[in-house]
Amino acid sequence: MTGTAICPGSFDPVTYGHIDIIRRASKVFDHVIVAVFNNQAKSPLFHVEERVHLLEEVTKEMGNVSVDSCDGLLMDYAQQKNAKAVIRGLRAVSDFEYEMQITSMNRKLNENIETFFIMTNNQYSFLSSSIVKEVAKHKGNVSDLVPEVVEEALIKKFHSS
Ligand code: ADP
C-alpha cells in the first residue's frame, strides 16, 4: 500500500514479537515509522532514547522503516507525519478489549486514519516485554525472545553494578 503507517508502542524493550509485526507491516506499506511512546504510567525500564536506539539497531536492515519517539496523542502524531494507518499487533483474546477501546477513541479523534491489526506469529503469542524483563531479571535465558543487542542491554541494566 502507498503511504506511511505508524507502529506505536512502549517497546520496553523490543522483542521478536514486535520485530515480526514491524517487518510484516514494512512489506505492506511504503514507509513504516516505529513510534516509541513515553508512557510514564508503565514505569519503563529503559529510557525512551535507549528504546529508540535498540529499535534502530534491530530494524537497520529494513530500508523503509524509521524509528522516532513521541509524547502526545498518537492521532496528533500520525496526522503530523501524514500517515494514513496505524498498525497494532494482536496476540491473544486478552489484547482485544483494550485494543477495541483505544481504536474506537482514536477513530473518534481522527476518522481519516485507519487502524490495522496484524495477528501475531504463533511462536510469539505469549511473548511480551514484561515477560522478557521478568526472565532477564532472574538471569534466565532470553536469547529466543529478543535479539542479542537487546539481551546485552538487559544484562547491563539488571546485572552490572
Ligand atoms: P503498548 O504499551 O502500546 O501495548 P507494547 O510495546 O507492549 O506497547 O506493544 C506494541 C505493539 O506490539 C502492540 O500493538 C502490541 O500488541 C504488539 N506486540 C507486542 N508483543 C507482541 C507479540 N509477541 N506479537 C505480536 N504483537 C506484539
Side-chain angles (χ1 to χ4, degrees), residues 48-150:
V48 171
E49 297 75 23
E50 294 174 303
R51 287 182 261 156
V52 166
H53 170 71
L54 291 173
L55 275 159
E56 280 171 348
E57 283 293 308
V58 301
T59 59
K60 64 184 175 201
E61 312 297 331
M62 301 179 215
N64 61 340
V65 173
S66 53
V67 185
D68 196 8
S69 60
C70 173
D71 253 331
L73 282 175
L74 169 61
M75 285 295 132
D76 289 345
Y77 177 79
Q79 179 80 53
Q80 187 194 320
K81 294 288 167 187
N82 222 356
K84 60 192 231 180
V86 166
I87 309 290
R88 296 281 294 171
L90 272 185
R91 279 161 294 189
V93 186
S94 50
D95 277 346
F96 191 77
E97 200 171 328
Y98 172 73
E99 295 295 339
M100 278 267 282
Q101 278 181 18
I102 303 272
T103 304
S104 308
M105 179 49 72
N106 283 342
R107 193 179 309 116
K108 228 173 137 105
L109 292 171
N110 189 334
E111 61 181 9
N112 297 319
I113 299 171
E114 200 58 65
T115 302
F116 291 85
F117 293 95
I118 297 183
M119 204 72 142
T120 185
N121 198 316
N122 286 347
Q123 71 190 111
Y124 305 131
S125 338
F126 299 103
L127 177 53
S128 68
S129 299
S130 317
I131 284 184
V132 167
K133 283 182 278 191
E134 200 55 31
V135 174
K137 188 172 160 186
H138 298 286
K139 300 194 174 173
N141 182 0
V142 292
S143 59
D144 287 348
L145 314 178
V146 297
E148 204 174 325
V149 65
V150 177

